[in-house]
Amino acid sequence: MRSEIAYFSESPLNATYRLVEKVITLDNISLIDFLGVENTNIKEVAAAFPMSKIISRGNEIRIKGTTPEIARISDILESLLEHYQRYGKITHDNVQSYLSQGGAASTGTVPPVPPNDEEVLVYGNRGVVVRAKTENQKKLVEAAEKYDLVFATGPAGTGKTYTAVAIAVRALKNKEVKKIIITRPAVEAGENLGFLPGDLKEKIDPYLRPIYDALDDMIPAEKLKLYQENRIIEIAPLAYMRGRTLNNAFILLDEAQNTTPMQMKMFLTRMGPSSKAIITGDKSQIDLPNKQKSGLVESIDILKPIKGIAFVELDGSDVVRHRLVREIITAYEKAGQ
C-alpha cells in the first residue's frame, strides 16, 4: 500500500483541522477480496465517517477530510490491509470489528484469530484453511523452517506437493522471500512431448496442473495472475532452470524422481543467497526411460552426510485422499512394488 497526502483547501483554522486529501494505492491486491463486491467494505468504512469523503476508483482509495479523521481512517485501512495479507480476504464482520476498535494501529490490538493459529500455513480462497494434517506433514513444515534444503519423499496422496506449495506461499506472504519458483521435469509415464498436440505451453501445462490447483486454493485468482505476470511466482519445466542463479527465492522441485542425475545436480546448484528449496518425489513411481537412474534416488544417497539438509519420509499413514488410496498403497507395498 502506497499513500500520498495533498492539501486541497487552506483554512484559517488550526492546521490540525485543515482539510486534506490522501490517496492510497493498493498494490498486488485482489481488489474484490479487499474492497468487497461493489466496494461494500469501503462503503462501510465511509458510512462510519460521514464528515469525510472516501472514494474508491480502480486500485486507488481517495480520502478527503480533516487531518484527525484521515489519520483514523488510515489506521483502519492499514489494519484491514494487514488482515488481508494474513487471511487473503476481508468480510463484513472484519470491517465492523476494526471500525469498533478504531484500527489496530491506534489500539494495539487485532480481532481474535482462529484457535491453533500457529499451525495454519495459509488462509486460502473460499474459506480454505491450509495446515499440516499428519505427523509427517508437520515434520516437513518444521524441517522447512530449520533447513534451507529439504527432501520430502513418499507415495502419491501424502500431501508432499500441496504442503510444500503452502510453505512457499506462506514465506512469500511473510516477505521471507521475494519470489516462488516451482518446477517439474516434463517426463510422465513414457510420453514424449514432441508427440503431444499444441504449442510448448499447451504441452507443458498438463504436467504442471497439480501446482496450479494448489495455488488456486491458496491465492486469489486476480492476485495469482498478477504474481505470474510480474514473475513473482514462476511455474516452469525443469529445463528452463539451466544457467540461472535463484536469489531470495523459495524453489520447489516436484516429481523429482523423474530427474536424471545431471538434471538434479543442475537444479541443486541453482540455489543463490537467501534461497530455500524443497524437493519432492515418489521413489516408487519413476518414469524415466530405459531404467535410467533417478536423480532423486542418487542425490539422497550422496547428500545424506551433509549437515544442513533435511530428509522427510512420508508414508501411507499420511494419505489424505480417498480412504481406498491408503489401502491401494499398502497392497502395492506388500507386493513389493
Side-chain angles (χ1 to χ4, degrees):
M1 184 174 77
R2 293 182 284 113
S3 62
E4 298 175 357
I5 297 178
Y7 296 99
F8 70 94
S9 176
E10 292 292 339
S11 168
L13 297 175
N14 185 288
T16 303
Y17 299 97
R18 184 167 48 181
L19 296 177
V20 298
E21 179 182 79
K22 182 171 184 176
V23 180
I24 297 175
T25 303
L26 303 173
D27 295 319
N28 300 328
I29 283 177
S30 170
L31 297 179
I32 192 169
D33 288 329
F34 183 76
L35 301 174
V37 178
E38 297 182 351
N39 296 339
T40 52
N41 293 337
I42 295 303
K43 288 176 181 176
E44 286 187 56
V45 176
F49 295 91
M51 300 301 293
S52 297
K53 190 173 184 180
I54 305 175
I55 303 171
S56 174
R57 287 192 184 132
N59 68 335
E60 286 189 347
I61 299 174
R62 292 181 176 271
I63 313 167
K64 293 182 181 180
T66 61
T67 303
E69 278 220 339
I70 282 188
R72 291 176 61 202
I73 295 168
S74 294
D75 279 349
I76 290 166
L77 291 177
E78 286 175 9
S79 297
L80 287 171
L81 183 65
E82 289 177 9
H83 186 102
Y84 170 83
Q85 296 289 1
R86 189 173 188 181
Y87 302 110
K89 194 174 183 66
I90 301 294
T91 66
H92 166 80
D93 291 340
N94 300 147
V95 176
Q96 292 301 315
S97 180
Y98 282 108
L99 283 172
S100 67
Q101 296 180 42
S106 62
T107 63
T109 60
V110 296
V113 297
N116 298 320
D117 182 62
E118 68 278 359
E119 295 183 3
V120 174
L121 293 171
V122 178
Y123 289 90
N125 300 322
R126 302 173 295 277
V128 172
V129 178
V130 183
R131 55 163 57 89
K133 295 180 179 179
T134 69
E135 285 304 311
N136 286 326
Q137 288 179 8
K138 290 176 183 177
K139 288 179 182 178
L140 173 54
V141 173
E142 292 168 1
E145 291 172 350
K146 294 178 182 178
Y147 299 92
D148 289 338
L149 178 58
V150 179
F151 285 80
T153 56
T158 52
K160 305 181 301 295
T161 299
Y162 198 84
T163 304
V165 171
I167 293 168
V169 170
R170 181 181 65 171
L172 183 66
K173 287 189 173 184
N174 291 342
K175 296 181 170 56
E176 295 168 12
V177 295
K178 291 184 178 180
K179 63 167 59 179
I180 295 173
I181 298 169
I182 306 176
T183 185
R184 299 178 103 187
V187 177
E188 294 289 337
E191 294 181 2
N192 189 310
L193 288 177
F195 293 99
L196 297 178
D199 60 21
L200 181 61
K201 185 178 187 303
E202 290 170 333
K203 292 178 180 183
I204 292 297
D205 273 358
Y207 295 94
L208 303 174
R209 191 68 254 168
I211 305 298
Y212 287 110
D213 289 343
L215 290 170
D216 285 343
D217 277 353
M218 301 174 199
I219 302 175
E222 184 179 334
K223 191 169 187 179
L224 178 57
K225 181 180 178 182
L226 188 66
Y227 278 163
Q228 288 187 263
E229 288 174 350
N230 291 287
R231 301 182 70 181
I232 295 171
I233 293 181
E234 292 184 51
I235 307 171
L238 182 58
Y240 285 26
M241 298 297 107
R242 187 174 298 279
R244 300 183 63 182
T245 300
L246 307 174
N247 299 327
N248 297 307
F250 209 117
I251 317 156
L252 304 182
L253 172 57
D254 191 40
E255 298 289 343
Q257 75 274 3
N258 288 328
T259 61
T260 65
M262 186 177 295
Q263 286 175 324
M264 178 61 77
K265 183 180 178 182
M266 178 273 290
F267 173 82
L268 291 170
T269 54
R270 298 308 94 200
M271 289 181 67
S274 304
S275 289
K276 297 176 77 73
I278 297 179
I279 297 170
T280 65
D282 179 357
K283 290 182 285 186
S284 69
Q285 292 190 354
I286 298 172
D287 297 315
L288 291 169
N290 303 321
K291 296 183 179 180
Q292 189 173 16
K293 189 169 185 180
S294 166
L296 174 65
V297 174
E298 181 185 83
S299 63
I300 290 174
D301 292 338
I302 292 173
L303 301 178
K304 271 200 170 178
I306 298 178
K307 293 182 179 179
I309 301 176
F311 300 87
V312 179
E313 184 77 33
L314 295 93
D315 55 38
S317 66
D318 298 296
V319 172
V320 290
R321 294 179 183 172
H322 194 286
R323 64 173 184 81
L324 287 175
V325 175
R326 183 178 300 175
E327 295 181 27
I328 290 168
I329 290 170
T330 302
Y332 270 91
E333 288 174 348
K334 286 181 179 179
Q337 298 185 37

